[in-house]
Structures are given as structure tokens and as C-alpha cells.
Amino acid sequence: MRTTVQLPDALLKAAKQRAAQDGRTLTSLIEEGLQHVLFDRPQAAKGKRRLPRVSKAKGGLRPGIDPTKINTEAQDAENLDMLERAGLTSGCSG
């Protein structure tokens, strides 16, 4: 079936270039794109989203870290001192 579509000039130019690089017609490129958008996209799951685990490491927080306390400037300075003594602050600016 023939149809007319209006595309921005830059998009049409890029599509023609891509089709030529792939050795195919512009029609086949557009058809593949429509197939992908209409049929290949995974459907969004409804309901609660399940997030991937961040880490599989075990053991919890490092000793001395209390997630209920807000880090103050004094604690930041203490942490920076510890990192400097360990030689881990090269390239850092404070």
C-alpha cells in the first residue's frame, strides 16, 4: 500500500543514508522501524515495579557507619583525614 508521510528533513536524510549504508530501501527501513515500535517493545508491567538488587555482597554496612545519623562537616573532615592518611585522595579537591 502506498502512503505519504511528512518527516523532518534531517530525519529523512539520515534515514536515506542509513538505508544506503545497509544496502536496503528506505521503505524496508521504515517498515522495520514500525515493526519494532508496534510489536517488539516489551509491555510495561502493571502494578508494583520490581527493582534489581544493587549488590549481592553480604555483611551489611561497614563498621562505624550509622545510617540514622546525618553526616556533619566534622565527620566529613574526619573521613577526609582518614582517606588522606591512607593515600586515597590523590586528585581530590576539598
Side-chain angles (χ1 to χ4, degrees):
M1 173 184 285
R2 293 180 71 82
T3 191
T4 301
V5 291
Q6 294 181 343
L7 301 172
D9 291 339
L11 180 61
L12 180 59
K13 182 179 177 182
K16 285 181 179 180
Q17 288 175 346
R18 178 64 178 266
Q21 288 172 352
D22 293 351
R24 61 195 291 185
T25 65
L26 178 62
T27 298
S28 71
L29 183 74
I30 293 171
E31 182 180 351
E32 182 181 326
L34 287 172
Q35 291 280 346
H36 173 72
V37 168
L38 296 173
F39 304 114
D40 294 342
R41 294 174 83 185
Q43 298 298 319
K46 296 200 179 208
K48 186 177 178 182
R49 270 181 72 181
R50 187 171 182 172
L51 298 176
R53 292 184 61 171
V54 173
S55 172
K56 293 184 180 183
K58 296 180 181 177
L61 295 174
R62 295 186 67 185
I65 297 178
D66 184 351
T68 62
K69 292 184 179 176
I70 297 174
N71 206 8
T72 64
E73 289 182 30
Q75 288 172 322
D76 286 342
E78 188 177 307
N79 292 339
L80 184 57
D81 274 349
M82 181 183 68
L83 291 173
E84 286 174 346
R85 284 193 304 272
L88 300 174
T89 59
S90 61
C92 293
S93 60

